[in-house]
Amino acid sequence: MADTWKRLEAFFATDIVRLPVDRVELTRDTDLYHDLDMEPGDIDELVRQWAVTFGVDLSAFDIHYYYPSAKLGIGSFLAAVVKSPFSNKARETLGGRSLTLGMMEEAMERGRWEP
């Protein structure tokens, strides 16, 4: 497990130009969106690159499961913003779900992504 974590850290270190990893201590709880300030499209690209690098099957991976707001049009997005103080679903749509380095480490060990 420690070896898997070291390989994952090394993968992120190679992408240091794009990521603020010099400002954030990488832990298993580090969230790609909230902690590393990555946009959903960039996260999707990075996860796919990571999967190729480590031979992880992504057939069960859907970026929109983690960041549903990424596929909203402007009208739907604004409606979710207005509803967010009153609706758990709207807050979840806007905030998404966590996608952490720990989840990536576990997928590396399994060889496949599981939501």
Side-chain angles (χ1 to χ4, degrees):
M1 189 163 190
D3 180 53
T4 304
W5 177 252
K6 292 293 182 196
R7 293 186 306 138
L8 184 59
E9 280 184 317
F11 174 79
F12 275 85
T14 62
D15 226 351
I16 200 163
V17 174
R18 288 185 16 195
L19 302 173
V21 293
D22 58 328
R23 294 180 280 150
V24 175
E25 179 184 349
L26 297 180
T27 69
R28 287 168 176 84
D29 293 326
T30 300
D31 183 277
L32 299 178
Y33 182 78
H34 295 288
D35 298 323
L36 298 182
D37 293 328
M38 294 181 71
E39 293 299 318
D42 295 330
I43 292 170
D44 191 49
E45 181 182 323
L46 179 88
V47 167
R48 293 189 186 288
Q49 179 185 353
W50 159 83
V52 169
T53 301
F54 296 106
V56 176
D57 174 9
L58 285 183
S59 58
F61 180 78
D62 178 10
I63 192 70
H64 296 112
Y65 172 78
Y66 298 95
Y67 309 107
S69 65
K71 66 180 178 180
L72 294 179
I74 189 69
S76 297
F77 176 78
L78 291 175
V81 169
V82 169
K83 292 178 186 176
S84 65
F86 314 104
S87 166
N88 285 335
K89 184 176 180 186
R91 282 192 298 278
E92 186 176 280
T93 297
L94 294 173
R97 296 174 179 90
S98 291
L99 201 162
T100 66
L101 298 185
M103 295 165 73
M104 295 174 80
E105 178 188 29
E106 290 170 6
M108 288 169 66
E109 292 170 351
R110 281 191 305 268
R112 69 184 180 286
W113 186 266
E114 292 180 359

